[in-house]
mmCIF file with all atom_site columns, all heavy atoms in Angstrom:
data_model
loop_
_atom_site.group_PDB
_atom_site.id
_atom_site.type_symbol
_atom_site.label_atom_id
_atom_site.label_alt_id
_atom_site.label_comp_id
_atom_site.label_asym_id
_atom_site.label_entity_id
_atom_site.label_seq_id
_atom_site.pdbx_PDB_ins_code
_atom_site.Cartn_x
_atom_site.Cartn_y
_atom_site.Cartn_z
_atom_site.occupancy
_atom_site.B_iso_or_equiv
_atom_site.pdbx_formal_charge
_atom_site.auth_seq_id
_atom_site.auth_comp_id
_atom_site.auth_asym_id
_atom_site.auth_atom_id
_atom_site.pdbx_PDB_model_num
ATOM 1   N N   . GLN A 1 4   ? 22.381  -15.017 -16.729 1.00 95.00 ? 125 GLN A N   1
ATOM 2   C CA  . GLN A 1 4   ? 21.868  -13.915 -17.553 1.00 95.00 ? 125 GLN A CA  1
ATOM 3   C C   . GLN A 1 4   ? 20.940  -14.439 -18.645 1.00 95.00 ? 125 GLN A C   1
ATOM 4   O O   . GLN A 1 4   ? 19.892  -13.856 -18.917 1.00 95.00 ? 125 GLN A O   1
ATOM 5   C CB  . GLN A 1 4   ? 23.065  -13.150 -18.168 1.00 95.00 ? 125 GLN A CB  1
ATOM 6   C CG  . GLN A 1 4   ? 22.673  -11.844 -18.838 1.00 95.00 ? 125 GLN A CG  1
ATOM 7   C CD  . GLN A 1 4   ? 21.887  -10.904 -17.901 1.00 95.00 ? 125 GLN A CD  1
ATOM 8   O OE1 . GLN A 1 4   ? 22.147  -10.854 -16.696 1.00 95.00 ? 125 GLN A OE1 1
ATOM 9   N NE2 . GLN A 1 4   ? 20.904  -10.201 -18.461 1.00 95.00 ? 125 GLN A NE2 1
ATOM 10  N N   . GLU A 1 18  ? 1.407   -11.114 -20.722 1.00 89.00 ? 139 GLU A N   1
ATOM 11  C CA  . GLU A 1 18  ? 0.498   -9.955  -20.811 1.00 89.00 ? 139 GLU A CA  1
ATOM 12  C C   . GLU A 1 18  ? -0.685  -10.244 -21.725 1.00 89.00 ? 139 GLU A C   1
ATOM 13  O O   . GLU A 1 18  ? -1.816  -9.858  -21.436 1.00 89.00 ? 139 GLU A O   1
ATOM 14  C CB  . GLU A 1 18  ? 1.262   -8.709  -21.277 1.00 89.00 ? 139 GLU A CB  1
ATOM 15  C CG  . GLU A 1 18  ? 2.031   -8.118  -20.115 1.00 89.00 ? 139 GLU A CG  1
ATOM 16  C CD  . GLU A 1 18  ? 2.921   -6.939  -20.493 1.00 89.00 ? 139 GLU A CD  1
ATOM 17  O OE1 . GLU A 1 18  ? 3.380   -6.894  -21.655 1.00 89.00 ? 139 GLU A OE1 1
ATOM 18  O OE2 . GLU A 1 18  ? 3.167   -6.093  -19.630 1.00 89.00 ? 139 GLU A OE2 1
ATOM 19  N N   . THR A 1 22  ? -5.288  -12.891 -17.128 1.00 84.00 ? 143 THR A N   1
ATOM 20  C CA  . THR A 1 22  ? -5.778  -13.782 -16.069 1.00 84.00 ? 143 THR A CA  1
ATOM 21  C C   . THR A 1 22  ? -6.288  -15.117 -16.606 1.00 84.00 ? 143 THR A C   1
ATOM 22  O O   . THR A 1 22  ? -6.605  -16.010 -15.816 1.00 84.00 ? 143 THR A O   1
ATOM 23  C CB  . THR A 1 22  ? -6.888  -13.108 -15.246 1.00 84.00 ? 143 THR A CB  1
ATOM 24  O OG1 . THR A 1 22  ? -7.846  -12.584 -16.150 1.00 84.00 ? 143 THR A OG1 1
ATOM 25  C CG2 . THR A 1 22  ? -6.356  -11.997 -14.380 1.00 84.00 ? 143 THR A CG2 1
ATOM 26  N N   . THR A 1 25  ? -3.891  -17.543 -15.082 1.00 86.00 ? 146 THR A N   1
ATOM 27  C CA  . THR A 1 25  ? -4.063  -17.936 -13.680 1.00 86.00 ? 146 THR A CA  1
ATOM 28  C C   . THR A 1 25  ? -5.397  -18.673 -13.473 1.00 86.00 ? 146 THR A C   1
ATOM 29  O O   . THR A 1 25  ? -5.500  -19.530 -12.604 1.00 86.00 ? 146 THR A O   1
ATOM 30  C CB  . THR A 1 25  ? -3.911  -16.727 -12.733 1.00 86.00 ? 146 THR A CB  1
ATOM 31  O OG1 . THR A 1 25  ? -4.502  -15.573 -13.330 1.00 86.00 ? 146 THR A OG1 1
ATOM 32  C CG2 . THR A 1 25  ? -2.456  -16.441 -12.453 1.00 86.00 ? 146 THR A CG2 1
ATOM 33  N N   . SER A 1 26  ? -6.414  -18.360 -14.291 1.00 89.00 ? 147 SER A N   1
ATOM 34  C CA  . SER A 1 26  ? -7.676  -19.109 -14.184 1.00 89.00 ? 147 SER A CA  1
ATOM 35  C C   . SER A 1 26  ? -7.424  -20.569 -14.555 1.00 89.00 ? 147 SER A C   1
ATOM 36  O O   . SER A 1 26  ? -7.880  -21.489 -13.868 1.00 89.00 ? 147 SER A O   1
ATOM 37  C CB  . SER A 1 26  ? -8.731  -18.562 -15.153 1.00 89.00 ? 147 SER A CB  1
ATOM 38  O OG  . SER A 1 26  ? -9.033  -17.257 -14.816 1.00 89.00 ? 147 SER A OG  1
ATOM 39  N N   . VAL A 1 42  ? -7.928  -24.947 1.516   1.00 89.00 ? 163 VAL A N   1
ATOM 40  C CA  . VAL A 1 42  ? -7.036  -23.828 1.850   1.00 89.00 ? 163 VAL A CA  1
ATOM 41  C C   . VAL A 1 42  ? -7.487  -22.534 1.186   1.00 89.00 ? 163 VAL A C   1
ATOM 42  O O   . VAL A 1 42  ? -7.377  -21.452 1.760   1.00 89.00 ? 163 VAL A O   1
ATOM 43  C CB  . VAL A 1 42  ? -5.587  -24.171 1.383   1.00 89.00 ? 163 VAL A CB  1
ATOM 44  C CG1 . VAL A 1 42  ? -4.639  -23.025 1.685   1.00 89.00 ? 163 VAL A CG1 1
ATOM 45  C CG2 . VAL A 1 42  ? -5.099  -25.459 2.030   1.00 89.00 ? 163 VAL A CG2 1
ATOM 46  N N   . LYS A 1 46  ? -14.897 -18.662 -3.162  1.00 81.00 ? 167 LYS A N   1
ATOM 47  C CA  . LYS A 1 46  ? -15.674 -17.501 -3.637  1.00 81.00 ? 167 LYS A CA  1
ATOM 48  C C   . LYS A 1 46  ? -14.748 -16.498 -4.316  1.00 81.00 ? 167 LYS A C   1
ATOM 49  O O   . LYS A 1 46  ? -15.122 -15.863 -5.296  1.00 81.00 ? 167 LYS A O   1
ATOM 50  C CB  . LYS A 1 46  ? -16.418 -16.828 -2.483  1.00 81.00 ? 167 LYS A CB  1
ATOM 51  C CG  . LYS A 1 46  ? -17.651 -17.583 -2.027  1.00 81.00 ? 167 LYS A CG  1
ATOM 52  C CD  . LYS A 1 46  ? -18.828 -17.373 -2.956  1.00 81.00 ? 167 LYS A CD  1
ATOM 53  C CE  . LYS A 1 46  ? -19.973 -18.314 -2.701  1.00 81.00 ? 167 LYS A CE  1
ATOM 54  N NZ  . LYS A 1 46  ? -20.482 -18.272 -1.346  1.00 81.00 ? 167 LYS A NZ  1
ATOM 55  N N   . LEU A 1 71  ? 15.111  -7.934  -7.713  1.00 87.00 ? 192 LEU A N   1
ATOM 56  C CA  . LEU A 1 71  ? 14.062  -8.424  -6.809  1.00 87.00 ? 192 LEU A CA  1
ATOM 57  C C   . LEU A 1 71  ? 13.757  -7.474  -5.649  1.00 87.00 ? 192 LEU A C   1
ATOM 58  O O   . LEU A 1 71  ? 12.698  -7.562  -5.034  1.00 87.00 ? 192 LEU A O   1
ATOM 59  C CB  . LEU A 1 71  ? 14.436  -9.807  -6.276  1.00 87.00 ? 192 LEU A CB  1
ATOM 60  C CG  . LEU A 1 71  ? 14.427  -10.918 -7.343  1.00 87.00 ? 192 LEU A CG  1
ATOM 61  C CD1 . LEU A 1 71  ? 14.773  -12.262 -6.735  1.00 87.00 ? 192 LEU A CD1 1
ATOM 62  C CD2 . LEU A 1 71  ? 13.089  -10.994 -8.058  1.00 87.00 ? 192 LEU A CD2 1
ATOM 63  N N   . GLN A 1 75  ? 10.143  -6.353  -2.777  1.00 92.00 ? 196 GLN A N   1
ATOM 64  C CA  . GLN A 1 75  ? 10.235  -6.663  -1.339  1.00 92.00 ? 196 GLN A CA  1
ATOM 65  C C   . GLN A 1 75  ? 8.910   -6.456  -0.582  1.00 92.00 ? 196 GLN A C   1
ATOM 66  O O   . GLN A 1 75  ? 8.479   -7.336  0.163   1.00 92.00 ? 196 GLN A O   1
ATOM 67  C CB  . GLN A 1 75  ? 11.300  -5.760  -0.727  1.00 92.00 ? 196 GLN A CB  1
ATOM 68  C CG  . GLN A 1 75  ? 12.031  -6.419  0.411   1.00 92.00 ? 196 GLN A CG  1
ATOM 69  C CD  . GLN A 1 75  ? 13.171  -5.527  0.870   1.00 92.00 ? 196 GLN A CD  1
ATOM 70  O OE1 . GLN A 1 75  ? 13.570  -4.583  0.192   1.00 92.00 ? 196 GLN A OE1 1
ATOM 71  N NE2 . GLN A 1 75  ? 13.662  -5.814  2.048   1.00 92.00 ? 196 GLN A NE2 1
ATOM 72  N N   . GLN A 1 76  ? 8.281   -5.319  -0.848  1.00 91.00 ? 197 GLN A N   1
ATOM 73  C CA  . GLN A 1 76  ? 7.045   -4.997  -0.118  1.00 91.00 ? 197 GLN A CA  1
ATOM 74  C C   . GLN A 1 76  ? 5.932   -5.990  -0.483  1.00 91.00 ? 197 GLN A C   1
ATOM 75  O O   . GLN A 1 76  ? 5.211   -6.482  0.386   1.00 91.00 ? 197 GLN A O   1
ATOM 76  C CB  . GLN A 1 76  ? 6.603   -3.581  -0.490  1.00 91.00 ? 197 GLN A CB  1
ATOM 77  C CG  . GLN A 1 76  ? 5.851   -2.907  0.613   1.00 91.00 ? 197 GLN A CG  1
ATOM 78  C CD  . GLN A 1 76  ? 5.326   -1.545  0.164   1.00 91.00 ? 197 GLN A CD  1
ATOM 79  O OE1 . GLN A 1 76  ? 5.681   -1.040  -0.901  1.00 91.00 ? 197 GLN A OE1 1
ATOM 80  N NE2 . GLN A 1 76  ? 4.477   -0.961  0.972   1.00 91.00 ? 197 GLN A NE2 1
ATOM 81  N N   . VAL A 1 98  ? 2.203   -26.026 -6.399  1.00 94.00 ? 219 VAL A N   1
ATOM 82  C CA  . VAL A 1 98  ? 1.875   -24.804 -7.144  1.00 94.00 ? 219 VAL A CA  1
ATOM 83  C C   . VAL A 1 98  ? 2.832   -24.658 -8.333  1.00 94.00 ? 219 VAL A C   1
ATOM 84  O O   . VAL A 1 98  ? 2.411   -24.355 -9.458  1.00 94.00 ? 219 VAL A O   1
ATOM 85  C CB  . VAL A 1 98  ? 1.946   -23.574 -6.208  1.00 94.00 ? 219 VAL A CB  1
ATOM 86  C CG1 . VAL A 1 98  ? 1.979   -22.272 -6.984  1.00 94.00 ? 219 VAL A CG1 1
ATOM 87  C CG2 . VAL A 1 98  ? 0.753   -23.575 -5.258  1.00 94.00 ? 219 VAL A CG2 1
ATOM 88  N N   . ASP A 1 139 ? 10.434  -17.764 8.846   1.00 97.00 ? 260 ASP A N   1
ATOM 89  C CA  . ASP A 1 139 ? 10.823  -16.793 9.890   1.00 97.00 ? 260 ASP A CA  1
ATOM 90  C C   . ASP A 1 139 ? 9.581   -16.261 10.614  1.00 97.00 ? 260 ASP A C   1
ATOM 91  O O   . ASP A 1 139 ? 9.580   -16.121 11.837  1.00 97.00 ? 260 ASP A O   1
ATOM 92  C CB  . ASP A 1 139 ? 11.561  -15.602 9.266   1.00 97.00 ? 260 ASP A CB  1
ATOM 93  C CG  . ASP A 1 139 ? 12.959  -15.988 8.800   1.00 97.00 ? 260 ASP A CG  1
ATOM 94  O OD1 . ASP A 1 139 ? 13.420  -17.089 9.176   1.00 97.00 ? 260 ASP A OD1 1
ATOM 95  O OD2 . ASP A 1 139 ? 13.564  -15.209 8.050   1.00 97.00 ? 260 ASP A OD2 1
ATOM 96  N N   . GLN A 1 142 ? 8.206   -18.807 12.939  1.00 97.00 ? 263 GLN A N   1
ATOM 97  C CA  . GLN A 1 142 ? 9.062   -18.948 14.123  1.00 97.00 ? 263 GLN A CA  1
ATOM 98  C C   . GLN A 1 142 ? 8.868   -17.768 15.079  1.00 97.00 ? 263 GLN A C   1
ATOM 99  O O   . GLN A 1 142 ? 8.761   -17.954 16.291  1.00 97.00 ? 263 GLN A O   1
ATOM 100 C CB  . GLN A 1 142 ? 10.511  -19.008 13.665  1.00 97.00 ? 263 GLN A CB  1
ATOM 101 C CG  . GLN A 1 142 ? 11.332  -19.927 14.528  1.00 97.00 ? 263 GLN A CG  1
ATOM 102 C CD  . GLN A 1 142 ? 12.757  -20.022 14.005  1.00 97.00 ? 263 GLN A CD  1
ATOM 103 O OE1 . GLN A 1 142 ? 13.100  -19.472 12.955  1.00 97.00 ? 263 GLN A OE1 1
ATOM 104 N NE2 . GLN A 1 142 ? 13.587  -20.719 14.737  1.00 97.00 ? 263 GLN A NE2 1
ATOM 105 N N   . LYS A 1 162 ? -20.210 -12.334 22.244  1.00 98.00 ? 283 LYS A N   1
ATOM 106 C CA  . LYS A 1 162 ? -20.678 -11.864 20.929  1.00 98.00 ? 283 LYS A CA  1
ATOM 107 C C   . LYS A 1 162 ? -21.495 -10.606 21.186  1.00 98.00 ? 283 LYS A C   1
ATOM 108 O O   . LYS A 1 162 ? -22.345 -10.594 22.062  1.00 98.00 ? 283 LYS A O   1
ATOM 109 C CB  . LYS A 1 162 ? -21.566 -12.941 20.298  1.00 98.00 ? 283 LYS A CB  1
ATOM 110 C CG  . LYS A 1 162 ? -21.602 -12.909 18.785  1.00 98.00 ? 283 LYS A CG  1
ATOM 111 C CD  . LYS A 1 162 ? -22.630 -13.874 18.243  1.00 98.00 ? 283 LYS A CD  1
ATOM 112 C CE  . LYS A 1 162 ? -22.028 -15.084 17.594  1.00 98.00 ? 283 LYS A CE  1
ATOM 113 N NZ  . LYS A 1 162 ? -22.987 -15.848 16.785  1.00 98.00 ? 283 LYS A NZ  1
ATOM 114 N N   . SER A 1 171 ? -19.268 -8.085  16.978  1.00 98.00 ? 292 SER A N   1
ATOM 115 C CA  . SER A 1 171 ? -17.921 -8.393  17.471  1.00 98.00 ? 292 SER A CA  1
ATOM 116 C C   . SER A 1 171 ? -17.946 -9.745  18.154  1.00 98.00 ? 292 SER A C   1
ATOM 117 O O   . SER A 1 171 ? -18.923 -10.094 18.835  1.00 98.00 ? 292 SER A O   1
ATOM 118 C CB  . SER A 1 171 ? -17.453 -7.341  18.470  1.00 98.00 ? 292 SER A CB  1
ATOM 119 O OG  . SER A 1 171 ? -17.161 -6.135  17.810  1.00 98.00 ? 292 SER A OG  1
ATOM 120 N N   . LEU A 1 172 ? -16.873 -10.500 17.962  1.00 98.00 ? 293 LEU A N   1
ATOM 121 C CA  . LEU A 1 172 ? -16.749 -11.816 18.601  1.00 98.00 ? 293 LEU A CA  1
ATOM 122 C C   . LEU A 1 172 ? -15.422 -11.854 19.337  1.00 98.00 ? 293 LEU A C   1
ATOM 123 O O   . LEU A 1 172 ? -14.395 -11.425 18.785  1.00 98.00 ? 293 LEU A O   1
ATOM 124 C CB  . LEU A 1 172 ? -16.773 -12.943 17.553  1.00 98.00 ? 293 LEU A CB  1
ATOM 125 C CG  . LEU A 1 172 ? -18.097 -13.147 16.810  1.00 98.00 ? 293 LEU A CG  1
ATOM 126 C CD1 . LEU A 1 172 ? -18.112 -12.331 15.524  1.00 98.00 ? 293 LEU A CD1 1
ATOM 127 C CD2 . LEU A 1 172 ? -18.278 -14.612 16.451  1.00 98.00 ? 293 LEU A CD2 1
ATOM 128 N N   . GLY A 1 192 ? -6.104  -15.485 11.049  1.00 97.00 ? 313 GLY A N   1
ATOM 129 C CA  . GLY A 1 192 ? -6.773  -16.437 10.156  1.00 97.00 ? 313 GLY A CA  1
ATOM 130 C C   . GLY A 1 192 ? -7.693  -17.292 11.014  1.00 97.00 ? 313 GLY A C   1
ATOM 131 O O   . GLY A 1 192 ? -7.322  -17.691 12.126  1.00 97.00 ? 313 GLY A O   1
ATOM 132 N N   . ILE A 1 227 ? -23.986 -10.192 2.381   1.00 91.00 ? 348 ILE A N   1
ATOM 133 C CA  . ILE A 1 227 ? -25.071 -10.750 1.568   1.00 91.00 ? 348 ILE A CA  1
ATOM 134 C C   . ILE A 1 227 ? -25.051 -10.044 0.218   1.00 91.00 ? 348 ILE A C   1
ATOM 135 O O   . ILE A 1 227 ? -25.695 -9.018  0.033   1.00 91.00 ? 348 ILE A O   1
ATOM 136 C CB  . ILE A 1 227 ? -26.470 -10.554 2.200   1.00 91.00 ? 348 ILE A CB  1
ATOM 137 C CG1 . ILE A 1 227 ? -26.442 -10.941 3.664   1.00 91.00 ? 348 ILE A CG1 1
ATOM 138 C CG2 . ILE A 1 227 ? -27.536 -11.341 1.436   1.00 91.00 ? 348 ILE A CG2 1
ATOM 139 C CD1 . ILE A 1 227 ? -27.689 -10.586 4.423   1.00 91.00 ? 348 ILE A CD1 1
ATOM 140 N N   . ASN A 1 236 ? -21.848 -15.168 7.791   1.00 97.00 ? 357 ASN A N   1
ATOM 141 C CA  . ASN A 1 236 ? -23.197 -15.487 8.293   1.00 97.00 ? 357 ASN A CA  1
ATOM 142 C C   . ASN A 1 236 ? -23.149 -16.567 9.365   1.00 97.00 ? 357 ASN A C   1
ATOM 143 O O   . ASN A 1 236 ? -23.924 -16.536 10.327  1.00 97.00 ? 357 ASN A O   1
ATOM 144 C CB  . ASN A 1 236 ? -24.111 -15.892 7.130   1.00 97.00 ? 357 ASN A CB  1
ATOM 145 C CG  . ASN A 1 236 ? -24.585 -14.659 6.380   1.00 97.00 ? 357 ASN A CG  1
ATOM 146 O OD1 . ASN A 1 236 ? -25.546 -14.012 6.778   1.00 97.00 ? 357 ASN A OD1 1
ATOM 147 N ND2 . ASN A 1 236 ? -23.856 -14.272 5.338   1.00 97.00 ? 357 ASN A ND2 1
ATOM 148 N N   . SER A 1 254 ? -1.071  -11.958 11.755  1.00 97.00 ? 375 SER A N   1
ATOM 149 C CA  . SER A 1 254 ? -0.118  -11.568 10.715  1.00 97.00 ? 375 SER A CA  1
ATOM 150 C C   . SER A 1 254 ? -0.581  -10.271 10.081  1.00 97.00 ? 375 SER A C   1
ATOM 151 O O   . SER A 1 254 ? -1.645  -9.748  10.408  1.00 97.00 ? 375 SER A O   1
ATOM 152 C CB  . SER A 1 254 ? 0.004   -12.599 9.591   1.00 97.00 ? 375 SER A CB  1
ATOM 153 O OG  . SER A 1 254 ? -0.777  -13.704 9.762   1.00 97.00 ? 375 SER A OG  1
ATOM 154 N N   . PHE A 1 308 ? -19.347 1.305   16.357  1.00 97.00 ? 429 PHE A N   1
ATOM 155 C CA  . PHE A 1 308 ? -18.427 1.963   17.309  1.00 97.00 ? 429 PHE A CA  1
ATOM 156 C C   . PHE A 1 308 ? -18.640 3.484   17.404  1.00 97.00 ? 429 PHE A C   1
ATOM 157 O O   . PHE A 1 308 ? -17.741 4.214   17.795  1.00 97.00 ? 429 PHE A O   1
ATOM 158 C CB  . PHE A 1 308 ? -16.961 1.685   16.935  1.00 97.00 ? 429 PHE A CB  1
ATOM 159 C CG  . PHE A 1 308 ? -16.638 0.224   16.809  1.00 97.00 ? 429 PHE A CG  1
ATOM 160 C CD1 . PHE A 1 308 ? -16.327 -0.338  15.576  1.00 97.00 ? 429 PHE A CD1 1
ATOM 161 C CD2 . PHE A 1 308 ? -16.647 -0.607  17.912  1.00 97.00 ? 429 PHE A CD2 1
ATOM 162 C CE1 . PHE A 1 308 ? -16.038 -1.684  15.447  1.00 97.00 ? 429 PHE A CE1 1
ATOM 163 C CE2 . PHE A 1 308 ? -16.347 -1.961  17.802  1.00 97.00 ? 429 PHE A CE2 1
ATOM 164 C CZ  . PHE A 1 308 ? -16.056 -2.497  16.559  1.00 97.00 ? 429 PHE A CZ  1
ATOM 165 N N   . TYR A 1 327 ? -22.600 9.819   6.014   1.00 93.00 ? 448 TYR A N   1
ATOM 166 C CA  . TYR A 1 327 ? -23.679 8.854   5.795   1.00 93.00 ? 448 TYR A CA  1
ATOM 167 C C   . TYR A 1 327 ? -24.142 8.979   4.353   1.00 93.00 ? 448 TYR A C   1
ATOM 168 O O   . TYR A 1 327 ? -24.538 10.068  3.913   1.00 93.00 ? 448 TYR A O   1
ATOM 169 C CB  . TYR A 1 327 ? -24.849 9.126   6.747   1.00 93.00 ? 448 TYR A CB  1
ATOM 170 C CG  . TYR A 1 327 ? -24.503 8.920   8.212   1.00 93.00 ? 448 TYR A CG  1
ATOM 171 C CD1 . TYR A 1 327 ? -24.832 9.873   9.163   1.00 93.00 ? 448 TYR A CD1 1
ATOM 172 C CD2 . TYR A 1 327 ? -23.856 7.758   8.631   1.00 93.00 ? 448 TYR A CD2 1
ATOM 173 C CE1 . TYR A 1 327 ? -24.521 9.685   10.504  1.00 93.00 ? 448 TYR A CE1 1
ATOM 174 C CE2 . TYR A 1 327 ? -23.533 7.572   9.971   1.00 93.00 ? 448 TYR A CE2 1
ATOM 175 C CZ  . TYR A 1 327 ? -23.869 8.533   10.898  1.00 93.00 ? 448 TYR A CZ  1
ATOM 176 O OH  . TYR A 1 327 ? -23.550 8.339   12.218  1.00 93.00 ? 448 TYR A OH  1
ATOM 177 N N   . ALA A 1 333 ? -32.816 11.068  7.661   1.00 53.00 ? 454 ALA A N   1
ATOM 178 C CA  . ALA A 1 333 ? -32.722 12.326  8.411   1.00 53.00 ? 454 ALA A CA  1
ATOM 179 C C   . ALA A 1 333 ? -33.680 12.344  9.599   1.00 53.00 ? 454 ALA A C   1
ATOM 180 O O   . ALA A 1 333 ? -33.450 13.036  10.585  1.00 53.00 ? 454 ALA A O   1
ATOM 181 C CB  . ALA A 1 333 ? -32.999 13.497  7.490   1.00 53.00 ? 454 ALA A CB  1
ATOM 182 N N   . LYS A 1 342 ? -18.597 18.126  20.690  1.00 63.00 ? 463 LYS A N   1
ATOM 183 C CA  . LYS A 1 342 ? -18.347 18.812  19.431  1.00 63.00 ? 463 LYS A CA  1
ATOM 184 C C   . LYS A 1 342 ? -17.202 18.215  18.583  1.00 63.00 ? 463 LYS A C   1
ATOM 185 O O   . LYS A 1 342 ? -17.024 18.618  17.459  1.00 63.00 ? 463 LYS A O   1
ATOM 186 C CB  . LYS A 1 342 ? -18.128 20.300  19.671  1.00 63.00 ? 463 LYS A CB  1
ATOM 187 C CG  . LYS A 1 342 ? -16.950 20.669  20.536  1.00 63.00 ? 463 LYS A CG  1
ATOM 188 C CD  . LYS A 1 342 ? -16.948 22.190  20.705  1.00 63.00 ? 463 LYS A CD  1
ATOM 189 C CE  . LYS A 1 342 ? -15.977 22.677  21.746  1.00 63.00 ? 463 LYS A CE  1
ATOM 190 N NZ  . LYS A 1 342 ? -14.629 22.179  21.686  1.00 63.00 ? 463 LYS A NZ  1
ATOM 191 N N   . ASP A 1 352 ? -15.802 13.190  1.264   1.00 95.00 ? 473 ASP A N   1
ATOM 192 C CA  . ASP A 1 352 ? -15.108 14.206  0.477   1.00 95.00 ? 473 ASP A CA  1
ATOM 193 C C   . ASP A 1 352 ? -13.972 14.772  1.333   1.00 95.00 ? 473 ASP A C   1
ATOM 194 O O   . ASP A 1 352 ? -14.180 15.674  2.151   1.00 95.00 ? 473 ASP A O   1
ATOM 195 C CB  . ASP A 1 352 ? -16.109 15.305  0.080   1.00 95.00 ? 473 ASP A CB  1
ATOM 196 C CG  . ASP A 1 352 ? -15.460 16.353  -0.799  1.00 95.00 ? 473 ASP A CG  1
ATOM 197 O OD1 . ASP A 1 352 ? -14.274 16.181  -1.165  1.00 95.00 ? 473 ASP A OD1 1
ATOM 198 O OD2 . ASP A 1 352 ? -16.143 17.338  -1.126  1.00 95.00 ? 473 ASP A OD2 1
ATOM 199 N N   . LEU A 1 386 ? -4.115  16.421  -3.068  1.00 97.00 ? 507 LEU A N   1
ATOM 200 C CA  . LEU A 1 386 ? -3.972  17.419  -1.993  1.00 97.00 ? 507 LEU A CA  1
ATOM 201 C C   . LEU A 1 386 ? -2.522  17.522  -1.503  1.00 97.00 ? 507 LEU A C   1
ATOM 202 O O   . LEU A 1 386 ? -2.244  18.198  -0.520  1.00 97.00 ? 507 LEU A O   1
ATOM 203 C CB  . LEU A 1 386 ? -4.892  17.062  -0.825  1.00 97.00 ? 507 LEU A CB  1
ATOM 204 C CG  . LEU A 1 386 ? -6.394  17.220  -1.120  1.00 97.00 ? 507 LEU A CG  1
ATOM 205 C CD1 . LEU A 1 386 ? -7.244  16.459  -0.111  1.00 97.00 ? 507 LEU A CD1 1
ATOM 206 C CD2 . LEU A 1 386 ? -6.778  18.702  -1.133  1.00 97.00 ? 507 LEU A CD2 1
ATOM 207 N N   . GLY A 1 387 ? -1.632  16.784  -2.162  1.00 96.00 ? 508 GLY A N   1
ATOM 208 C CA  . GLY A 1 387 ? -0.214  16.940  -1.876  1.00 96.00 ? 508 GLY A CA  1
ATOM 209 C C   . GLY A 1 387 ? 0.368   15.953  -0.879  1.00 96.00 ? 508 GLY A C   1
ATOM 210 O O   . GLY A 1 387 ? 1.511   16.110  -0.442  1.00 96.00 ? 508 GLY A O   1
ATOM 211 N N   . ASN A 1 392 ? 3.378   8.027   2.637   1.00 97.00 ? 513 ASN A N   1
ATOM 212 C CA  . ASN A 1 392 ? 2.648   8.136   3.910   1.00 97.00 ? 513 ASN A CA  1
ATOM 213 C C   . ASN A 1 392 ? 1.231   7.576   3.825   1.00 97.00 ? 513 ASN A C   1
ATOM 214 O O   . ASN A 1 392 ? 0.429   7.774   4.737   1.00 97.00 ? 513 ASN A O   1
ATOM 215 C CB  . ASN A 1 392 ? 2.604   9.602   4.368   1.00 97.00 ? 513 ASN A CB  1
ATOM 216 C CG  . ASN A 1 392 ? 3.995   10.118  4.684   1.00 97.00 ? 513 ASN A CG  1
ATOM 217 O OD1 . ASN A 1 392 ? 4.881   9.331   5.015   1.00 97.00 ? 513 ASN A OD1 1
ATOM 218 N ND2 . ASN A 1 392 ? 4.202   11.414  4.550   1.00 97.00 ? 513 ASN A ND2 1
#
Side-chain angles (χ1 to χ4, degrees):
Q125 190 55 35
E139 281 175 331
T143 50
T146 38
S147 297
V163 179
K167 284 282 168 57
L192 292 181
Q196 212 174 345
Q197 209 185 350
V219 165
D260 288 348
Q263 215 177 355
K283 206 187 252 194
S292 288
L293 293 92
I348 313 171
N357 282 277
S375 359
F429 305 112
Y448 295 132
K463 62 183 169 49
D473 183 5
L507 291 162
N513 295 335

